[in-house]
Amino acid sequence: MASKRGALIVLEGVDRAGKTTQCKKLVEALQQSGRPAEMMRFPDRTTTIGQLISSYLEKKSDLEDHTVHLLFSANRWELVPLMKKKLEQGITLVVDRYAFSGAAFTSAKPGFCLDWCMKPDVGLPKPDLVMFLQLNPAEAALRGQFGIERYETSAFQKLVQQKFQLLMKDPSVNWKVIDASQNIEDVHDNIKSHSLKAINTAERTPLGELWK
Ligand code: TMP
């Protein structure tokens, strides 16, 4: 008898919205309630491709913009066999950033259109739920200074936020906007309740293909 598959759950959002903290809390809560769950993050800096990306983000190396975009996508594709295996085993995957960050960040650069940026990720495993942690720039600023990695400036982040708004208009993706200005526990409760629904639905539906 085929076992129930796990759900693919993605957290996206602007910098300092609390994605990583919330991914960890969600995985812990699911595990504590007896639901197998694991966290993943993109870029996954541990692979050979991930190390090229990491060095680029840390400004230790330069890469042509199309090239790095394709590397971010390749970094997702190289993890697809593992993701599918875990989902089939009934493990829910909680993913910190996915193809939406890929399209939003590159299309915020001059000379890139959203459509081109989405293309390399067409056909990736489709998330059962994508939660966008929304935080206005003023509130984000109160949470501290930007880091020193590439893209960490308020001007660029504003452009990225606009691209996310465009991506969220796509009804083929199960988007939920989460108010990330609430306290950590309230945000967590909100995320958990959406996730439990998605896990139940995923048990009864096959894994889809993104943007297809
Ligand atoms: P993070 O490891 O702190 O989440 O940062 C990764 C950076 O890379 C962040 O600025 C967003 C950016 N990014 C892309 O430009 N394209 C992508 O496909 C992904 C996943 C992230």
Side-chain angles (χ1 to χ4, degrees):
M1 195 185 82
S3 59
K4 293 169 179 171
R5 75 168 174 95
L8 180 56
I9 297 174
V10 170
L11 266 77
E12 289 279 10
V14 294
D15 273 35
R16 290 173 302 175
K19 287 184 298 299
T20 306
T21 304
Q22 292 296 338
C23 281
K24 287 182 186 158
K25 281 181 79 71
L26 177 60
V27 168
E28 272 169 28
L30 293 175
Q31 287 173 346
Q32 274 166 15
S33 67
R35 296 173 179 87
E38 288 180 22
M39 182 172 161
M40 292 183 76
R41 66 177 313 140
F42 290 109
D44 179 335
R45 302 187 192 215
T46 65
T47 69
T48 304
I49 293 170
Q51 282 163 21
L52 291 173
I53 294 170
S54 187
S55 153
Y56 169 82
L57 288 171
E58 291 168 25
K59 299 181 193 161
K60 289 179 183 159
S61 64
D62 281 320
L63 287 166
E64 193 275 332
D65 288 328
H66 298 80
T67 310
V68 75
H69 182 73
L70 296 172
L71 287 176
F72 272 112
S73 177
N75 183 232
R76 285 182 279 280
W77 280 108
E78 67 177 335
L79 269 305
V80 166
L82 181 67
M83 291 170 75
K84 285 189 169 167
K85 194 172 132 198
K86 288 190 184 283
L87 292 169
E88 276 161 22
Q89 287 171 344
I91 299 168
T92 285
L93 296 177
V94 175
V95 187
D96 188 347
R97 296 192 191 276
Y98 198 51
F100 314 97
S101 275
F105 277 77
T106 305
S107 67
K109 294 180 176 180
F112 283 87
C113 71
L114 196 57
D115 194 45
W116 185 88
C117 294
M118 291 162 76
K119 285 284 185 317
D121 287 313
V122 170
L124 278 178
K126 181 175 170 174
D128 298 290
L129 169 66
V130 188
M131 288 174 281
F132 183 78
L133 271 61
Q134 183 104 56
L135 194 65
N136 72 47
E139 270 171 305
L142 291 175
R143 295 190 176 184
Q145 292 302 306
F146 277 112
I148 50 156
E149 286 207 329
R150 220 178 272 266
Y151 305 146
E152 294 183 330
T153 67
S154 49
F156 191 72
Q157 295 282 328
K158 252 185 210 164
L159 285 170
V160 171
Q161 168 108 350
Q162 288 166 13
K163 302 297 178 179
F164 271 123
Q165 299 298 337
L166 289 176
L167 288 167
M168 280 191 268
K169 289 189 177 150
D170 172 7
S172 78
V173 173
N174 181 21
W175 285 100
K176 299 282 181 234
V177 178
I178 307 289
D179 175 6
S181 68
Q182 302 164 288
N183 69 57
I184 289 183
E185 292 308 323
D186 288 345
V187 175
H188 169 65
D189 288 345
N190 200 351
I191 285 177
K192 196 169 70 182
S193 98
H194 285 302
S195 301
L196 292 176
K197 278 183 216 149
I199 291 169
N200 281 333
T201 310
E203 286 177 353
R204 290 177 271 111
T205 44
L207 185 64
E209 291 176 302
L210 181 63
W211 294 329
K212 249 189 167 176

